[in-house]
Amino acid sequence: MPAEALFYHLERQPLENVLPTLLERTLERGWRAVVEAGTPDRLEALNQWLWTYKPESFLGHGTKADGHSAAQPIYLTTDADNPNGAKVRFFVDGATPHSFDAYDRLVVMFDGRDTDAVAAARVAWKAAKAAGSTATYWQQNAEGRWEKKA
């Protein structure tokens, strides 16, 4: 069965503010996650950010370089791998889904100020629909809350 595909249009807050909250919710549900970044440099920046984004807490995660990949609740990568058996995969900074069958949920996060990112998200939306996925589009309102737009 194709994955549920959620598209988050980032306009009011940067990825660094939104991704940790969505990852926290994922873990609260008892799910593991993979975060696929578009470049190794961006992957390393996210790796550092998830340890320090809140003074009082952090999100346990790791990369291939850290080892123990199968034990990571959140695994960060630039590849199509899934060593922790995640059912949720996040695509950030230009990474887009390769398949709609390997996960329960795919989350595509894209910067609304980047025309290339918007174009890539549109292509991914069409691919999700063609694969039979239930696709939803989320946008932040003026108060910063996410609203389902499609």
Side-chain angles (χ1 to χ4, degrees), residues 4 23 37 40 47 56 73 83 103 112-113:
E4 175 185 19
L23 288 171
N47 187 17
E56 70 277 3
Y103 296 88
R113 297 168 302 233

Side-chain angles (χ1 to χ4, degrees), residues 94-146:
T96 55
H98 341 270
S99 166
F100 294 91
D101 296 327
Y103 296 88
D104 292 341
R105 179 175 284 183
L106 303 175
V107 181
V108 178
M109 304 178 78
F110 62 99
D111 184 344
R113 297 168 302 233
D114 180 335
T115 56
D116 291 338
V118 172
R122 285 186 179 128
V123 169
W125 174 273
K126 289 177 184 173
K129 297 298 259 181
S133 291
T134 301
T136 55
Y137 170 75
W138 299 84
Q139 197 172 31
Q140 281 184 310
N141 64 21
E143 292 80 37
R145 282 184 242 126
W146 290 100

Side-chain angles (χ1 to χ4, degrees), residues 39 50 53 135:
T39 66
L50 293 177
Y53 77 99

Side-chain angles (χ1 to χ4, degrees), residues 2 9 18 21 24 26 34 42 62 65 67 71 73 76 84-85 114 116 119 133 139 147:
H9 191 159
V18 177
T21 302
E24 286 172 346
T26 299
V34 170
R42 193 63 171 125
L76 307 178
N84 66 346
D114 180 335
D116 291 338
S133 291
Q139 197 172 31
E147 293 181 347

Side-chain angles (χ1 to χ4, degrees), residues 6-130:
L6 293 83
F7 290 78
Y8 282 86
H9 191 159
L10 304 174
E11 292 178 300
R12 299 188 182 280
Q13 293 182 10
L15 177 71
E16 290 81 2
N17 290 1
V18 177
L19 181 62
T21 302
L22 294 176
L23 288 171
E24 286 172 346
R25 289 182 185 159
T26 299
L27 295 179
E28 286 168 4
R29 292 179 174 165
W31 298 338
R32 289 175 173 242
V34 170
V35 177
E36 183 178 333
T39 66
D41 287 342
R42 193 63 171 125
L43 179 79
E44 184 53 35
L46 289 172
N47 187 17
Q48 296 304 314
W49 178 246
L50 293 177
W51 289 119
T52 61
Y53 77 99
K54 275 187 186 175
E56 70 277 3
S57 69
F58 63 90
L59 280 167
H61 66 280
T63 66
K64 185 176 185 177
D66 297 323
H68 309 287
S69 300
Q72 301 297 341
I74 300 168
Y75 181 73
L76 307 178
T77 187
T78 57
D79 298 319
D81 52 342
N82 182 10
N84 66 346
K87 295 295 182 188
V88 181
R89 189 173 191 102
F90 289 81
F91 297 90
V92 301
D93 292 318
T96 55
H98 341 270
S99 166
F100 294 91
D101 296 327
Y103 296 88
D104 292 341
R105 179 175 284 183
L106 303 175
V107 181
V108 178
M109 304 178 78
F110 62 99
D111 184 344
R113 297 168 302 233
D114 180 335
T115 56
D116 291 338
V118 172
R122 285 186 179 128
V123 169
W125 174 273
K126 289 177 184 173
K129 297 298 259 181

